[in-house]
Amino acid sequence: MCGTVLSQITRAETAINPACRKVLCVGLACLDSIHVVKTFPVEDTDVRCVSMRWQRGGNASNNCTVLSQLGAPCEFLGTLSMKQHLNVIVEDFKTSNICIDNCIYYDTCDAPTSVVIINQSNGSRTIIHSNNNLPELTLDDFKKLDLSQYSWIHFEASFLGRNVQEVVSMIEWVEFWNESHASDNDRGHGLGRKALPISVEIEKPRAEMQDLVPCADVLFVGKDYAEFCGCTSMSETLEKIAEDAKPNATIISAWGEQGAMARGHDKTVVQSPAFSPHKVLDTLGAGDTFCGATIFGLSRGNLLQDCIVLGCQIAGAKVGMDGFAGLD
Ligand code: ADP
Ligand code: FRU
């Protein structure tokens, strides 16, 4: 089985200059309809917003926005609807210099959308997300990729509805590929000369997310999932998740104003404070920004401590501004 899989993978490859390899982010792209209000509305009242805008959203899509601004060649992989809003999303990917060459298009399905209320007085974001009928990415879609084009693969698990097992299979496919490919150098994260490190973000409080824990080299564990597992602090989260993670996995957890904490492959724990802006204006995508900036550092072989500090600095800058423009 393994041999067949490997020969299939090798056939599709082309020679890629290592410097041009992209960070691939797999997950959701959606359209965010953002309404900024002075204070959070009372239920069943009729209020006016201060401003309204459309924005390309979704965790993996936002990860790419950050990676691209920091100067990393990157690609988004997910499903896209050709029916509504496609131009807004596609044009914005293009303007942001994010490759979408391998996305899967559906012409009769609706685009996932989020209605977001941002409270100007404290920057809080309330998200009402909907995905009517856009299918999720499948293993067969994923297998069409030429994996030699990438330096890092990140899976954000928030887009998963029914297909956690499909993502586990995609990760297995990458691991098969890794078995016959080695990187030119050791990136220093306990990954040795692994060609294609795999990071996974687990955010939504759902039991099936657990299946992804043993699969990743680098795990980003959101506060909501950590609390769902009964953890009350970042350090407890690192310990608890490590029980089921790969023995040499790096585990990272970010908790809003508390900043972030991480446990390296050698079990050393490092921490970063949050970097608060003058005024918190917009926390939509703070976690995505943290992940994107941290992956940027990790994929370049930087020290774990420096990577989470960078993640918190860039996320701190993001929450002090509307949207994502000008993070670099
Ligand atoms: P999300 O809820 O979007 O997943 P978090 O709230 O966990 O994200 O925040 C991720 C990172 O963003 C934090 O580790 C922190 O560095 C930064 N951050 C979030 N909220 C604030 C804030 N109010 N002030 C400063 N930094 C923040
Ligand atoms: C922010 C975000 C939004 C999107 C929602 C999907 O983290 O990616 O852009 O609407 O989450 O859950």
Side-chain angles (χ1 to χ4, degrees):
M1 157 71 181
C2 215
T4 321
V5 171
L6 283 175
S7 69
Q8 282 172 18
I9 295 173
T10 316
R11 240 184 297 128
E13 280 173 18
T14 52
I16 304 280
N17 173 352
C20 302
R21 289 197 183 120
K22 293 169 281 187
V23 176
L24 177 71
C25 297
V26 184
L28 176 75
C30 64
L31 195 67
D32 289 350
S33 165
I34 300 178
H35 302 257
V36 182
V37 292
K38 271 201 178 121
T39 53
F40 198 79
V42 175
E43 187 177 349
D44 207 18
T45 55
D46 179 352
V47 296
R48 296 290 171 269
C49 60
V50 178
S51 63
M52 188 270 160
R53 64 180 189 271
W54 297 101
Q55 197 170 284
R56 173 173 52 79
N59 291 21
S61 150
N62 292 335
N63 297 150
C64 284
T65 303
V66 174
L67 281 158
S68 178
Q69 284 196 40
L70 294 178
C74 62
E75 174 171 339
F76 166 80
L77 177 68
T79 53
L80 294 173
S81 155
M82 291 180 75
K83 225 171 112 185
Q84 310 140 305
H85 316 312
L86 178 76
N87 276 345
V88 181
I89 295 177
V90 167
E91 288 310 314
D92 196 65
F93 270 126
K94 285 185 187 159
T95 338
S96 307
N97 207 16
I98 298 164
C99 173
I100 48 167
D101 290 353
N102 294 297
C103 283
I104 309 296
Y105 294 85
Y106 287 90
D107 53 6
T108 54
C109 302
D110 301 317
T113 52
S114 293
V115 170
V116 182
I117 300 174
I118 293 182
N119 180 350
Q120 209 177 38
S121 68
N122 60 12
S124 80
R125 90 288 182 266
T126 304
I127 304 172
I128 306 170
H129 183 69
S130 73
N131 183 357
N132 282 346
N133 54 9
L134 187 69
E136 283 153 9
L137 197 74
T138 65
L139 177 62
D140 285 340
D141 300 331
F142 187 82
K143 279 180 169 179
K144 291 179 190 140
L145 297 176
D146 169 4
L147 293 178
S148 65
Q149 292 184 61
Y150 307 109
S151 59
W152 190 280
I153 300 197
H154 177 67
F155 293 89
E156 60 101 345
S158 76
F159 76 107
L160 303 166
R162 300 162 298 277
N163 74 345
V164 173
Q165 282 319 311
E166 201 79 358
V167 175
V168 170
S169 305
M170 292 176 203
I171 293 175
E172 283 168 2
W173 177 257
V174 181
E175 293 293 21
F176 281 134
W177 186 87
N178 270 325
E179 279 172 24
S180 62
H181 294 75
S183 162
D184 299 336
N185 50 49
D186 183 339
R187 292 184 182 81
H189 298 299
L191 300 172
R193 293 173 65 238
K194 189 167 192 176
L196 208 35
I198 298 159
S199 57
V200 175
E201 183 202 11
I202 301 177
E203 186 196 40
K204 298 279 180 284
R206 289 208 293 264
E208 58 271 28
M209 296 292 153
Q210 167 69 23
D211 295 349
L212 291 161
V213 171
C215 301
D217 300 310
V218 177
L219 272 164
F220 289 90
V221 185
K223 187 180 177 196
D224 289 351
Y225 181 76
E227 288 180 335
F228 171 74
C229 295
C231 302
T232 55
S233 66
M234 291 189 279
S235 53
E236 218 178 304
T237 306
L238 301 182
E239 270 179 42
K240 170 113 183 118
I241 298 294
E243 289 169 11
D244 299 312
K246 280 185 185 176
N248 63 346
T250 294
I251 305 167
I252 303 172
S253 197
W255 284 46
E257 289 107 315
Q258 293 179 52
M261 200 180 264
R263 182 186 196 266
H265 62 90
D266 56 359
K267 302 182 179 42
T268 306
V269 172
V270 293
Q271 191 164 5
S272 169
F275 292 83
S276 296
H278 174 62
K279 183 164 175 21
V280 177
L281 288 178
D282 169 10
T283 58
L284 181 67
D288 306 339
T289 306
F290 172 81
C291 281
T294 302
I295 292 169
F296 176 81
L298 291 173
S299 65
R300 279 168 162 65
N302 296 334
L303 290 175
L304 181 58
Q305 165 85 69
D306 296 345
C307 296
I308 62 166
V309 169
L310 178 73
C312 286
Q313 283 171 332
I314 305 283
K318 197 257 100 40
V319 301
M321 62 171 73
D322 292 321
F324 292 91
L327 286 173
D328 46 337

